[in-house]
Amino acid sequence: MSKRELHFGLMFWAGGTHPSGWRYPSSHAGAAFDIAFLQRVTQLVEAAKFDFLFLGDRLASDPSLQTTNPSQMSRLEPFVSGASLAAATSHIGIVVTANPTYYDPYNLARMFASLDHLSQGRASWNLVTGADEIAAGNFSRQSHWDTERRYDWADEFVAVVRGLWDSDAITPLHHKGRYFDVAGPLNVKRPPQGHPVILHAGTSDRSRELGARDADVIFAGQATIESAKAYYADVKSRARKYGRRDADIAILPGLTPVVAETTEKAVEIFDHLNSFIALEPEGDGGEASRYGSLGRMGKRRNLTAVSAAIGVDVSGQDRDAPVDPVVLAEANENGQRLFADVKRLTRRDVKGPNRLTYRDLIFGHISTGAVVVGNPNEVADHIQLWFDERAADGFNIFPPYVPESVEAFTSLVVPELQRRGLYRTEYSGPTFRDHLGLAKPAAVLSGSRSLRG
Amino acid sequence: MAKPLHLGFLYAPQSGSQTHDKSFDPLSPLHLTGLARDLEGAGFAFLLIDDSVGRAEPARSEAFTTASFLATRTRHIGLIAAANTSHVEPYNVTRLAASLDHVTHGRAGWLVSTGVVDPAGANYGQTAVAPDVHYERASEILDIARRLWDSWEDGAFIRDKQSGVFVDGSKIHPIDHVGAAFSVKGPLNVARPPQGQVVVAHRVADKRSAEFAGRHADIAILAAETAGDIAALRDNVLAAARGARRDEQHVLLFAEIVSVIGSDHAAGAPKAPVAHYVSGTPTEIADQIEALANAVTLDGLVVAPGVVRSSPDAFSRDVIPELVRRQRLRSGDRSATLRERLGLARPGNIFEHKAPEPASTAA
């Protein structure tokens, strides 16, 4: 068995994954529709031997996202950007997000087969079932399907798509199922990878099951190493019952790296980024309702919300004042975690020369997912720890501001990981499956294909 | 003398009317790039990438993915991708077309096809559309697409780093469409296309398709055998345009011609069911094209070769220079958007300077 090695993807929100990343001085605020810029950034991570570029998607827009998540408000359709990026690269995997709830399996099977041919074996499907309720309004639906319905549909949908990829004139599909009647065969030749790589993300039971059965890469969102280890162990054990080996699935949590030559400089960048976040007046500390599970910024951006979270009323404090050590002493378990996290990121404390401010607590409170701030060694240590502890097989890198944070990661952290022997220095082959060490699946040559598992 | 013509190229290998020779692999990115660059170099204004969702030979990639791949491998040629309105969701196809316009910097078009190419319906089992409503559905999708493309005004993005204002919400509009087949709230999640509205093309072979093209299309591609039949289709399109209160100048009329040069017969070119054939030597073909252009007032020709090859087509190599010599072709403005190149204005935005409109209804 070959040595386990790290895998990296780039979560490509062109304006940066930080809610105010687009306001960072060197960022390109109009990046989302500038294909030449998107190609340059893709070439940057390809030169650093990244496994893939991740093109997220949503099937609706809402201008109210502009202060919290402008990258999720509008973007290029991912098959269009994916094919354009394929034309400017040669090795990197291209992950296109597509939601079966609002697609037809024959159309989607064709598009992925086409992208796999055009990219010569680099296409990948990020299968999402859509937590986004407002998309229903754009697709003639009265309401958003519930989880069970979406996953029942998705399970059959994936089986049909795989069947179409395997089909040919001699063995067309002839699928007749609960939701789909599809004769086949597909009118695009079998994709170079056999089946384009399938990604999936999610924490619900149905989602974990779908991922364990059908995904080659799992994108996870755990913020702590403990929860990530538990998720990792659970998904790999579920996969075994489908006859899959641990190495058949790469589990890649998201990670936001803020890295610079020195720790001080990294913290300075982190503070600078946060300084652009528009905070809210005090008073309302409830959850902001927008975009439920997408809610990277679903929490109120004020001290009222912090107070509710930590169990100590700090809503009347001056945001720039140092935090009174009494607050830490009285904070609940949640609050203890928040303080530890903010201290880890900012290197500031309630005592000593570098004091935490109340504003820092707000930023800590609204932050989601795993963040690491530090010099190249510190960031590499974080990555290595998660990798060695089997909390991750690699990471989907969230670039908080683009392109500078991508340049910093590829020029500072990647070489350090290569020195440590944890990460490839060359691609082993031209296809995305090659990067993952996955063989091309044999075609299932049966006239009819039932759900696996 | 008739006005000089624009040239388009129809790419549809394994469509029943077009094949390709052994040197050309329609799934090879290199061959596709070579074809598009050859056509661009020869002066074609646009490349129509046809599509089929039926049981065609497994030989072609999906049109929008293909066009997007070619977008940054070409610089000047228009890229018009086909999508069949009977088998797509309006929100999906609208954003594909808008996005293609962004990555081509305004060279995108959508070749609207409709109806079931038997047995395509078999691949869409439970969602297949009843045959008699294909054009109603197409028409409703076009109405939706036009409003979605306009749902972000040109000035909607502010992107002011200083103030943190990213968009001007008053310039982003839901469309609140409720029609016979679809309800679409909007807005689109793509900035307004560089061309304002993506160029829409439609092939016209009968009264129904002429009606649709007259109402919705920027480019009507007239497919008939004789000059007289082409002229009749042209008149139908223009009558429909007038009926829809469109300026006739806003519908460009192209005749589809199938060129058969020398050895094409031997290569086994399939015969299109209804098409205007030109054949013989390059000089003879240029004569036949001149005769057609003198008989029917046209804005251009769509060349649909019987055989697609990896080497520059004989039409590009020999016929085009002959037509140029006779001053029958427009010289391309190579830096323009497809609309600019074709002399079509960039449309105003239906939402600009207007109160929000009531929900639209299907025609």
Side-chain angles (χ1 to χ4, degrees):
Chain A
M1 200 175 119
S2 61
K3 186 171 150 282
R4 196 169 158 250
E5 76 178 6
L6 280 164
H7 300 283
F8 284 123
L10 181 74
M11 178 66 158
F12 203 6
W13 291 3
T17 54
H18 186 278
S20 298
W22 68 275
R23 296 180 68 184
Y24 196 76
S26 61
S27 291
H28 177 10
F33 297 101
D34 183 345
I35 192 64
F37 178 80
L38 302 182
Q39 288 173 331
R40 280 201 300 281
V41 176
T42 307
Q43 288 161 352
L44 194 64
V45 289
E46 184 174 64
K49 317 299 173 197
F50 268 41
D51 293 69
F52 63 89
L53 184 85
F54 185 103
L55 299 166
D57 198 23
R58 294 185 60 220
L59 296 171
S61 180
D62 189 327
S64 73
L65 285 172
Q66 72 164 315
T67 52
T68 56
N69 215 334
S71 291
Q72 290 287 66
M73 194 169 58
S74 65
R75 53 153 69 84
L76 293 169
E77 196 282 334
F79 277 104
V80 171
S81 48
S84 302
L85 297 172
T89 52
S90 59
H91 283 76
I92 193 163
I94 293 171
V95 179
V96 168
T97 297
N99 183 342
T101 306
Y102 301 113
Y103 245 109
D104 182 279
Y106 192 80
N107 289 346
L108 202 63
R110 293 185 73 222
M111 296 195 79
F112 277 114
S114 300
L115 184 61
D116 207 42
H117 280 288
L118 292 165
S119 64
Q120 298 181 294
R122 298 186 284 133
S124 170
W125 174 15
N126 175 39
L127 194 167
V128 297
T129 66
D132 202 349
E133 301 193 358
I134 64 171
N138 290 328
F139 289 85
S140 307
R141 300 269 173 87
Q142 293 293 324
S143 62
H144 187 56
W145 291 350
D146 66 21
T147 302
E148 290 301 308
R149 170 90 199 257
R150 294 203 312 274
Y151 276 93
D152 286 348
W153 174 279
D155 285 347
E156 187 180 336
F157 193 111
V158 176
V160 171
V161 168
R162 286 193 193 272
L164 285 168
W165 286 334
D166 288 347
S167 67
D168 59 29
I170 299 151
T171 50
L173 187 63
H174 293 313
H175 174 95
K176 274 197 191 298
R178 180 170 167 198
Y179 297 115
F180 307 108
D181 293 349
V182 183
L186 194 65
N187 62 358
V188 181
K189 251 196 299 201
R190 193 164 193 253
Q193 295 185 98
H195 296 180
V197 170
I198 293 186
L199 266 82
H200 185 61
T203 52
S204 72
D205 187 63
R206 291 294 303 266
S207 160
R208 289 177 192 224
E209 215 50 41
L210 189 154
R213 190 186 64 226
D214 270 305
D216 306 299
V217 177
I218 306 260
F219 167 38
Q222 282 68 33
T224 66
I225 190 166
E226 292 75 25
S227 58
K229 279 167 73 172
Y231 181 84
Y232 185 102
D234 178 59
V235 171
K236 298 247 174 175
S237 98
R238 286 174 192 245
R240 277 175 223 130
K241 73 176 189 245
Y242 295 106
R244 307 185 71 196
R245 301 170 307 149
D246 283 8
D248 291 343
I249 301 183
I251 297 182
L252 311 182
L255 176 65
T256 300
V258 179
V259 61
E261 289 83 353
T262 65
T263 308
E264 294 69 33
K265 180 83 178 104
V267 171
E268 202 178 292
I269 292 171
F270 183 62
D271 289 339
H272 193 183
L273 271 171
N274 285 338
S275 74
F276 296 121
I277 294 179
L279 299 186
E280 294 173 307
E282 299 302 332
D284 184 358
E287 285 284 305
S289 62
R290 50 177 100 81
Y291 303 115
S293 64
L294 259 179
R296 192 169 162 66
M297 294 283 286
K299 294 170 176 169
R300 292 283 174 201
R301 307 182 298 276
N302 58 26
L303 286 172
T304 315
V306 171
S307 303
I310 68 173
V312 182
D313 184 6
V314 294
S315 59
Q317 300 295 330
D318 173 0
R319 287 170 177 173
D320 290 315
V323 175
D324 188 329
V326 174
V327 176
L328 172 58
E330 291 178 357
N332 60 20
E333 201 183 324
N334 231 344
Q336 299 298 326
R337 267 201 302 273
L338 175 62
F339 271 95
D341 211 36
V342 172
K343 185 179 157 188
R344 179 179 66 83
L345 297 172
T346 63
R347 275 71 168 179
R348 293 189 281 269
D349 204 345
V350 292
K351 55 184 192 304
N354 278 326
R355 292 299 185 89
L356 266 176
T357 66
Y358 288 100
R359 189 180 294 274
D360 288 330
L361 294 183
I362 302 178
F363 295 137
H365 173 66
I366 61 179
S367 165
T368 60
V371 183
V372 57
V373 178
N375 66 33
N377 257 313
E378 290 166 333
V379 174
D381 286 348
H382 178 102
I383 287 169
Q384 184 167 5
L385 179 67
W386 282 53
F387 183 65
D388 288 345
E389 293 282 317
R390 299 204 182 243
D393 294 313
F395 293 90
N396 197 8
I397 298 297
F398 280 57
Y401 52 107
V402 181
E404 249 189 74
S405 74
V406 182
E407 287 161 355
F409 187 83
T410 56
S411 68
L412 299 174
V413 181
V414 165
E416 175 56 28
L417 293 167
Q418 289 169 331
R419 262 194 296 279
R420 296 182 187 190
L422 296 171
Y423 185 58
R424 68 171 74 91
T425 53
E426 283 302 333
Y427 287 113
S428 59
T431 74
F432 190 4
R433 281 191 172 273
D434 291 335
H435 312 338
L436 296 169
L438 298 173
K440 178 175 175 173
V444 177
L445 295 175
S446 64
S448 174
R449 192 188 166 100
S450 59
L451 281 173
R452 295 187 299 153
Chain B
M1 190 175 109
K3 60 186 173 183
L5 301 169
H6 294 289
L7 283 182
F9 186 94
L10 178 66
Y11 170 78
Q14 306 289 23
S15 63
S17 61
Q18 192 176 88
T19 185
H20 59 93
D21 73 1
K22 284 195 169 56
S23 71
F24 183 82
D25 174 3
L27 289 172
S28 158
L30 281 178
H31 292 184
L32 287 164
T33 302
L35 175 72
R37 286 181 175 163
D38 284 343
L39 295 170
E40 183 169 82
F44 281 89
F46 56 83
L47 163 60
L48 291 151
I49 301 169
D50 201 1
D51 207 354
S52 165
V53 288
R55 202 177 296 182
E57 289 299 306
R60 254 190 293 164
S61 48
E62 188 276 332
F64 274 95
T65 322
T66 307
S68 304
F69 181 84
L70 294 173
T72 50
R73 295 196 165 189
T74 54
R75 300 177 73 86
H76 308 294
I77 193 166
L79 296 169
I80 304 180
N84 186 322
T85 50
S86 297
H87 300 301
V88 291
E89 276 286 339
Y91 200 82
N92 286 341
V93 71
T94 302
R95 59 196 293 254
L96 281 169
S99 300
L100 181 62
D101 206 42
H102 282 284
V103 301
T104 56
H105 303 290
R107 292 184 284 132
W110 172 17
L111 175 59
V112 176
S113 63
T114 187
V116 167
V117 184
D118 196 53
N123 291 324
Y124 296 87
Q126 302 179 353
T127 58
V129 176
D132 55 330
V133 298
H134 287 296
Y135 265 104
E136 283 75 7
R137 181 180 158 109
S139 201
E140 186 178 346
I141 289 179
L142 261 290
D143 288 339
I144 293 167
R146 295 220 177 270
R147 294 168 68 81
L148 284 175
W149 286 330
D150 276 353
S151 63
W152 290 67
E153 292 184 28
D154 292 321
F157 285 95
I158 308 296
R159 298 179 182 130
D160 181 15
K161 289 186 179 184
Q162 214 56 43
S163 64
V165 176
F166 194 71
V167 294
D168 176 351
S170 73
K171 294 184 172 172
I172 306 166
H173 308 276
I175 68 164
D176 293 320
H177 172 92
V178 180
F182 302 102
S183 56
V184 179
K185 182 152 181 45
L188 197 62
N189 52 5
V190 180
R192 191 167 191 241
Q195 296 183 97
Q197 297 269 314
V198 175
V199 170
V200 171
H202 190 63
R203 285 171 93 179
V204 175
D206 55 25
K207 208 127 194 223
R208 196 68 194 82
S209 46
E211 174 69 29
F212 179 86
R215 180 166 163 210
H216 293 288
D218 303 294
I219 296 174
I221 302 159
L222 312 172
E225 202 165 330
T226 66
D229 289 344
I230 292 171
L233 289 177
R234 173 185 177 279
D235 293 341
N236 288 341
V237 170
L238 292 177
R242 285 191 299 272
R245 295 176 192 201
R246 292 182 70 197
D247 183 337
E248 287 183 21
Q249 305 297 318
H250 294 171
V251 191
L252 300 182
L253 297 148
F254 280 66
E256 182 171 318
I257 60 166
V258 177
S259 62
V260 183
I261 303 178
S263 62
D264 280 358
H265 283 301
K271 188 146 172 64
V274 183
H276 187 76
Y277 277 84
V278 292
S279 62
T281 66
T283 310
E284 287 165 349
I285 287 177
D287 290 344
Q288 292 160 32
I289 286 172
E290 281 203 295
L292 176 64
N294 290 334
V296 191
T297 306
L298 293 168
D299 298 290
L301 301 174
V302 165
V303 181
V307 183
V308 176
R309 306 167 190 287
S310 63
S311 53
D313 189 81
F315 191 93
S316 300
R317 199 182 57 232
D318 301 324
V319 180
I320 290 179
E322 179 60 22
L323 291 170
V324 168
R325 201 183 58 74
R326 301 184 190 184
Q327 298 181 314
R328 285 291 185 168
L329 292 189
R330 301 232 187 194
S331 58
D333 170 356
R334 309 203 125 218
S335 63
T337 66
L338 180 56
R339 276 187 179 278
E340 287 166 13
R341 183 164 179 166
L342 296 174
L344 293 168
R346 186 177 191 271
N349 189 319
I350 55 167
F351 291 106
E352 254 173 71
H353 313 302
K354 271 205 237 173
E357 292 190 338
S360 66
T361 51

Short mmCIF file of all heavy atoms in Angstrom, two decimals, chain A residues 235-259:
data_model
loop_
_atom_site.label_atom_id
_atom_site.label_comp_id
_atom_site.label_asym_id
_atom_site.label_seq_id
_atom_site.Cartn_x
_atom_site.Cartn_y
_atom_site.Cartn_z
N VAL A 235 -17.61 7.98 9.27
CA VAL A 235 -17.81 7.82 7.83
C VAL A 235 -16.99 6.65 7.29
O VAL A 235 -17.47 5.85 6.50
CB VAL A 235 -17.47 9.13 7.09
CG1 VAL A 235 -17.47 8.91 5.59
CG2 VAL A 235 -18.47 10.23 7.46
N LYS A 236 -15.76 6.50 7.76
CA LYS A 236 -14.94 5.39 7.26
C LYS A 236 -15.53 4.06 7.69
O LYS A 236 -15.46 3.07 6.94
CB LYS A 236 -13.49 5.54 7.74
CG LYS A 236 -12.83 6.82 7.22
CD LYS A 236 -11.70 6.59 6.22
CE LYS A 236 -11.23 7.93 5.67
NZ LYS A 236 -10.08 7.88 4.80
N SER A 237 -16.11 4.00 8.88
CA SER A 237 -16.69 2.73 9.29
C SER A 237 -17.97 2.43 8.53
O SER A 237 -18.24 1.29 8.17
CB SER A 237 -16.87 2.69 10.81
OG SER A 237 -18.19 3.00 11.16
N ARG A 238 -18.76 3.47 8.25
CA ARG A 238 -19.96 3.24 7.42
C ARG A 238 -19.54 2.74 6.03
O ARG A 238 -20.21 1.90 5.44
CB ARG A 238 -20.75 4.54 7.25
CG ARG A 238 -21.53 4.99 8.49
CD ARG A 238 -22.15 6.36 8.24
NE ARG A 238 -22.67 6.96 9.46
CZ ARG A 238 -23.97 7.20 9.66
NH1 ARG A 238 -24.86 6.89 8.75
NH2 ARG A 238 -24.36 7.77 10.79
N ALA A 239 -18.44 3.29 5.51
CA ALA A 239 -18.01 2.92 4.16
C ALA A 239 -17.63 1.44 4.08
O ALA A 239 -17.85 0.79 3.07
CB ALA A 239 -16.83 3.79 3.73
N ARG A 240 -17.06 0.92 5.18
CA ARG A 240 -16.63 -0.49 5.17
C ARG A 240 -17.79 -1.43 4.90
O ARG A 240 -17.63 -2.45 4.25
CB ARG A 240 -15.95 -0.84 6.51
CG ARG A 240 -14.48 -0.40 6.53
CD ARG A 240 -13.81 -0.63 7.88
NE ARG A 240 -13.00 0.54 8.21
CZ ARG A 240 -13.04 1.19 9.37
NH1 ARG A 240 -13.87 0.80 10.34
NH2 ARG A 240 -12.29 2.25 9.56
N LYS A 241 -18.97 -1.06 5.37
CA LYS A 241 -20.08 -2.00 5.15
C LYS A 241 -20.53 -2.00 3.69
O LYS A 241 -21.27 -2.88 3.27
CB LYS A 241 -21.23 -1.71 6.12
CG LYS A 241 -22.03 -0.48 5.85
CD LYS A 241 -23.19 -0.40 6.85
CE LYS A 241 -24.12 0.72 6.44
NZ LYS A 241 -24.20 1.83 7.35
N TYR A 242 -20.07 -1.03 2.89
CA TYR A 242 -20.31 -1.07 1.46
C TYR A 242 -19.11 -1.68 0.73
O TYR A 242 -18.95 -1.51 -0.49
CB TYR A 242 -20.59 0.33 0.91
CG TYR A 242 -21.86 0.94 1.46
CD1 TYR A 242 -21.82 1.96 2.41
CD2 TYR A 242 -23.11 0.48 1.03
CE1 TYR A 242 -22.98 2.51 2.92
CE2 TYR A 242 -24.28 1.02 1.54
CZ TYR A 242 -24.21 2.04 2.49
OH TYR A 242 -25.37 2.58 2.99
N GLY A 243 -18.23 -2.32 1.49
CA GLY A 243 -17.08 -2.98 0.88
C GLY A 243 -15.99 -2.03 0.44
O GLY A 243 -15.18 -2.35 -0.43
N ARG A 244 -15.96 -0.85 1.03
CA ARG A 244 -14.96 0.12 0.60
C ARG A 244 -13.82 0.18 1.61
O ARG A 244 -14.03 0.06 2.81
CB ARG A 244 -15.62 1.50 0.44
CG ARG A 244 -16.85 1.44 -0.47
CD ARG A 244 -17.43 2.79 -0.73
NE ARG A 244 -16.56 3.58 -1.59
CZ ARG A 244 -16.66 4.90 -1.72
NH1 ARG A 244 -17.57 5.57 -1.04
NH2 ARG A 244 -15.84 5.55 -2.52
N ARG A 245 -12.62 0.40 1.10
CA ARG A 245 -11.45 0.51 1.97
C ARG A 245 -11.31 1.94 2.47
O ARG A 245 -11.81 2.87 1.84
CB ARG A 245 -10.17 0.15 1.20
CG ARG A 245 -10.15 -1.26 0.61
CD ARG A 245 -8.96 -1.40 -0.33
NE ARG A 245 -8.97 -0.32 -1.33
CZ ARG A 245 -7.88 0.20 -1.89
NH1 ARG A 245 -6.69 -0.22 -1.54
NH2 ARG A 245 -7.98 1.17 -2.78
N ASP A 246 -10.58 2.11 3.56
CA ASP A 246 -10.37 3.46 4.11
C ASP A 246 -9.76 4.40 3.06
O ASP A 246 -10.10 5.57 2.98
CB ASP A 246 -9.47 3.41 5.34
CG ASP A 246 -10.24 2.93 6.57
OD1 ASP A 246 -11.41 2.49 6.40
OD2 ASP A 246 -9.67 2.96 7.67
N ALA A 247 -8.85 3.83 2.25
CA ALA A 247 -8.16 4.68 1.27
C ALA A 247 -9.05 5.06 0.10
O ALA A 247 -8.68 5.89 -0.73
CB ALA A 247 -6.91 3.94 0.75
N ASP A 248 -10.25 4.45 0.03
CA ASP A 248 -11.15 4.77 -1.09
C ASP A 248 -11.86 6.10 -0.90
O ASP A 248 -12.47 6.62 -1.83
CB ASP A 248 -12.21 3.67 -1.26
CG ASP A 248 -11.60 2.37 -1.76
OD1 ASP A 248 -10.46 2.43 -2.26
OD2 ASP A 248 -12.25 1.32 -1.64
N ILE A 249 -11.86 6.61 0.32
CA ILE A 249 -12.55 7.87 0.58
C ILE A 249 -11.58 8.84 1.24
O ILE A 249 -10.96 8.51 2.26
CB ILE A 249 -13.75 7.68 1.53
CG1 ILE A 249 -14.75 6.70 0.95
CG2 ILE A 249 -14.43 9.02 1.80
CD1 ILE A 249 -15.98 6.52 1.81
N ALA A 250 -11.44 10.02 0.68
CA ALA A 250 -10.62 11.07 1.30
C ALA A 250 -11.56 12.03 2.04
O ALA A 250 -12.49 12.56 1.44
CB ALA A 250 -9.83 11.81 0.24
N ILE A 251 -11.30 12.21 3.32
CA ILE A 251 -12.13 13.12 4.10
C ILE A 251 -11.36 14.43 4.30
O ILE A 251 -10.27 14.45 4.87
CB ILE A 251 -12.51 12.49 5.46
CG1 ILE A 251 -13.37 11.24 5.19
CG2 ILE A 251 -13.26 13.50 6.33
CD1 ILE A 251 -13.85 10.53 6.42
N LEU A 252 -11.93 15.47 3.75
CA LEU A 252 -11.22 16.76 3.71
C LEU A 252 -12.05 17.86 4.38
O LEU A 252 -12.93 18.44 3.76
CB LEU A 252 -10.93 17.16 2.26
CG LEU A 252 -10.28 16.11 1.35
CD1 LEU A 252 -10.03 16.71 -0.03
CD2 LEU A 252 -8.97 15.61 1.93
N PRO A 253 -11.77 18.16 5.62
CA PRO A 253 -12.47 19.28 6.26
C PRO A 253 -12.05 20.61 5.64
O PRO A 253 -10.99 20.71 5.02
CB PRO A 253 -12.02 19.22 7.73
CG PRO A 253 -11.30 17.92 7.87
CD PRO A 253 -10.82 17.51 6.51
N GLY A 254 -12.87 21.60 5.82
CA GLY A 254 -12.48 22.94 5.42
C GLY A 254 -11.47 23.51 6.40
O GLY A 254 -11.49 23.18 7.58
N LEU A 255 -10.56 24.32 5.89
CA LEU A 255 -9.59 24.98 6.77
C LEU A 255 -9.28 26.37 6.20
O LEU A 255 -8.91 26.49 5.04
CB LEU A 255 -8.29 24.18 6.86
CG LEU A 255 -7.17 24.84 7.68
CD1 LEU A 255 -7.55 24.96 9.16
CD2 LEU A 255 -5.85 24.08 7.54
N THR A 256 -9.45 27.37 7.06
CA THR A 256 -9.10 28.74 6.66
C THR A 256 -7.72 29.06 7.22
O THR A 256 -7.56 29.21 8.42
CB THR A 256 -10.12 29.74 7.22
OG1 THR A 256 -11.41 29.43 6.72
CG2 THR A 256 -9.74 31.17 6.82
N PRO A 257 -6.69 29.15 6.36
CA PRO A 257 -5.36 29.49 6.86
C PRO A 257 -5.09 30.99 6.69
O PRO A 257 -5.31 31.55 5.62
CB PRO A 257 -4.44 28.68 5.95
CG PRO A 257 -5.20 28.56 4.65
CD PRO A 257 -6.66 28.79 4.92
N VAL A 258 -4.64 31.60 7.77
CA VAL A 258 -4.14 32.97 7.67
C VAL A 258 -2.66 32.87 8.01
O VAL A 258 -2.29 32.68 9.17
CB VAL A 258 -4.87 33.93 8.63
CG1 VAL A 258 -4.29 35.34 8.51
CG2 VAL A 258 -6.37 33.93 8.34
N VAL A 259 -1.84 32.94 6.97
CA VAL A 259 -0.42 32.63 7.17
C VAL A 259 0.45 33.76 6.64
O VAL A 259 0.12 34.40 5.64
CB VAL A 259 -0.06 31.28 6.49
CG1 VAL A 259 -0.31 31.32 5.00
CG2 VAL A 259 1.38 30.88 6.77
#
